[in-house]
Amino acid sequence: MCPPAARLARARQGRAAGVSEAMEALEIRDVFERWPVVSSAELARGSIVKIRTDTVRMPDGGLVPREVIEHPGAVAVLALDEADRVLLIRQYRHPAGALLWEIPAGLRDVAGEPPLVTAERELLEETGYRAAQWHMLADHFSSPGITDERLRIFLARGLRRVPESERSYVPEHEEAHLVIAWLPLDAAVARFLAGDLHNGVAAVGILAAYAARMDGFAALRSPDSAER
């Protein structure tokens, strides 16, 4: 008789082989589709987000409730200078109860405005910089299990400081207390790995820029690339 430990090991090997074969047979690319929603009800509405409950039909026919936070989406900017330093801002985030070091970001709350235009405005308003070169760096969902918020992160280079006399935006609330700092890209990666930094959008942008730098950013998409 085969010992229990041996049977367990064989079963694990079989499962691993099955997963491996499935991965080899599938194209590893996200697929956008929507399973049928048989009913939907709004639970709450705020100035930025709405919360609803959808009853979703599973492929096996079962019905399950799923809460969804509707969000307008956002953009973020990984600004990198000639010395490969990242432009960071420190902002108070009330839900997290923390002063977080982040990259410039903002809501896509202007109807019909291209994401790049939003990113250019947010970079100027939050840091006082403009950029001469732009690329698409990353496109991701912040927390797809609960919200439809989608973020587009741009790489901005060729930075130029705009004199305060040429700026019209007046920061208020949390933005009135922003702190700006420069951190070498390698050091920023190390800070995340050490647990010193926590902002998710900044992590995606910094790690993507770190990887993209290996080929001189040649693989990056144009800043007006269509969202997939």
Side-chain angles (χ1 to χ4, degrees), residues 75-76 108 113-120 131-139 152-157 217 219-227:
V75 298
R108 294 175 60 174
E113 183 174 74
L116 177 58
V117 175
T118 308
E120 291 172 331
Q133 296 98 39
W134 290 84
H135 289 88
M136 250 298 300
L137 185 59
D139 191 13
R152 174 153 275 206
I153 305 176
F154 294 89
L155 173 68
R157 304 175 74 196
F217 305 104
L220 295 183
R221 291 169 284 161
S222 65
D224 56 356
S225 298
E227 290 180 304

Side-chain angles (χ1 to χ4, degrees), residues 12-184:
R12 286 175 176 168
Q13 290 174 357
R15 286 197 296 270
V19 170
S20 176
E21 291 171 2
M23 291 180 64
E24 291 176 1
L26 291 173
E27 181 181 11
I28 307 303
R29 181 189 297 269
D30 293 336
V31 176
F32 287 84
E33 67 176 38
R34 192 167 292 278
W35 292 357
V37 175
V38 300
S39 66
S40 185
E42 185 176 296
L43 301 179
R45 180 185 294 260
S47 61
I48 297 174
V49 302
K50 293 189 295 184
I51 304 176
R52 71 174 195 267
T53 295
D54 289 345
T55 301
V56 183
R57 188 181 300 280
M58 300 288 106
D60 61 5
L63 299 177
V64 296
R66 290 290 178 261
E67 292 181 357
V68 179
I69 300 173
E70 297 181 25
H71 191 283
V75 298
V77 183
L78 193 290
L80 204 61
D81 71 1
E82 293 83 357
D84 280 356
R85 297 184 304 168
V86 179
L87 181 57
L88 296 173
I89 59 174
R90 192 185 71 180
Q91 184 164 341
Y92 173 67
R93 293 300 188 181
H94 184 70
L99 291 165
L100 298 181
W101 284 102
E102 308 176 350
I103 57 178
L107 296 173
R108 294 175 60 174
D109 54 1
V110 178
E113 183 174 74
L116 177 58
V117 175
T118 308
E120 291 172 331
R121 184 180 67 250
E122 293 295 337
L123 178 63
L124 177 61
E125 291 179 352
E126 294 190 349
T127 70
Y129 280 87
R130 293 190 187 276
Q133 296 98 39
W134 290 84
H135 289 88
M136 250 298 300
L137 185 59
D139 191 13
H140 76 108
F141 291 101
S142 60
S143 185
I146 190 66
T147 179
D148 62 358
E149 180 186 17
R150 186 168 180 169
L151 290 114
R152 174 153 275 206
I153 305 176
F154 294 89
L155 173 68
R157 304 175 74 196
L159 301 173
R160 176 180 67 86
R161 181 77 173 175
V162 177
E164 289 190 18
S165 59
E166 298 178 18
R167 302 182 223 160
S168 59
Y169 179 72
V170 179
E172 58 181 2
H173 309 310
E174 290 92 342
E175 290 187 353
H177 306 280
L178 293 181
V179 176
I180 298 175
W182 292 91
L183 185 66

Side-chain angles (χ1 to χ4, degrees), residues 192-207:
F192 271 107
L193 296 179
D196 296 329
L197 301 177
H198 302 85
N199 181 267
V201 179
V204 173
I206 287 169
L207 294 174

